[in-house]
Amino acid sequence: MRGAIGAEPRWGREDDPGQAVERLLDAAGMVFARHGVFTAKVNDVAVQAGCSRGTLYRYFPDGDALRFAFVEREARRIGAEVAGQVRSIVDPGQRLVAAILVSLDAVRGDEVLRAWFDPTAAGRTNQLAMQVEVVSSMLEPLVRDVHGRAGSTLATEWVVRVILSLLAHPADPADERRMLERYLLRSLS
């Protein structure tokens, strides 16, 4: 839905709140990519969306809430994409590795999401991503299948940290696969 903002969106109170939020998040994504995730201003997002700051504040109390909602939405979108691509992989370890690799590719292949892992933003992005429960909730079943039930929450947090590290400091894709298969899977077994 990126770039789907119409030339003259309606921003009256009669708008569907869900559509308004989507338009604001689409606009935020464009502004994040252009100005930087943590240097973008709420006013820039309002201008991009064609609304007033007051309208934006009706849906998001501040820039942090806007960034949080954006990360949550994109995590759900990528999670659905990943689930569809790894569903047929029978081996739990290979399914987890594939899920991680697909998610890395999805983020790296998206100009807007790449901006979140720019060296100037990666540290704050990591902090924010650790607060977004949707990321861990999507990974937990995959981790539990490999690790077992006991301790899967802590193991899931560790896997999220591994993913964030790989996004902030990419390696050769073949090396990333080998690292995940050799060290991540061994540590979870």
Side-chain angles (χ1 to χ4, degrees):
M1 188 161 194
R2 263 195 245 305
I5 299 172
E8 295 186 33
R10 292 181 32 218
W11 285 105
R13 291 201 182 269
E14 71 281 356
D15 282 345
D16 173 44
Q19 288 178 341
V21 166
E22 288 301 311
R23 287 196 325 232
L24 289 168
L25 293 176
D26 288 342
M30 290 181 230
V31 171
F32 294 155
R34 189 170 45 247
H35 296 291
V37 175
F38 296 100
T39 55
K41 306 286 185 235
V42 169
N43 191 57
D44 297 330
V45 175
V47 167
Q48 178 70 41
C51 69
S52 69
R53 279 191 334 206
T55 297
L56 190 144
Y57 286 130
R58 184 181 323 146
Y59 299 98
F60 302 101
D62 55 36
D64 287 340
L66 179 65
R67 282 186 282 277
F68 188 88
F70 183 84
V71 168
E72 201 168 53
R73 178 185 79 167
E74 293 304 299
R76 286 183 201 286
R77 180 181 64 80
I78 288 174
E81 181 181 322
V82 169
Q85 290 190 38
V86 304
R87 185 171 294 131
S88 64
I89 301 173
V90 177
D91 178 81
Q94 290 306 308
R95 188 172 46 248
L96 176 60
V97 168
I100 293 169
L101 293 172
V102 169
S103 65
L104 293 174
D105 286 345
V107 171
R108 291 173 180 158
D110 186 309
E111 172 189 9
V112 173
L113 298 181
R114 270 195 319 266
W116 287 81
F117 294 93
D118 171 274
T120 62
R124 289 179 69 187
T125 297
N126 289 353
Q127 291 173 344
L128 180 61
M130 293 306 297
Q131 297 171 8
V132 177
E133 290 181 24
V134 69
V135 174
S136 347
S137 69
M138 288 184 295
L139 272 172
E140 188 151 14
L142 296 170
V143 172
R144 190 176 46 242
D145 286 349
V146 174
H147 183 62
R149 294 206 183 276
S152 65
T153 302
L154 189 58
T156 300
E157 181 180 329
W158 183 74
V159 171
V160 171
R161 291 175 185 271
V162 167
I163 293 168
L164 294 171
S165 175
L166 290 171
L167 286 168
H169 306 286
D172 175 84
D175 288 341
E176 288 178 343
R177 175 179 285 282
R178 280 192 295 276
M179 284 188 274
L180 292 170
E181 289 175 342
R182 185 173 299 158
Y183 302 111
L184 178 99
L185 291 182
R186 189 177 297 161
S187 71
L188 291 176
S189 306

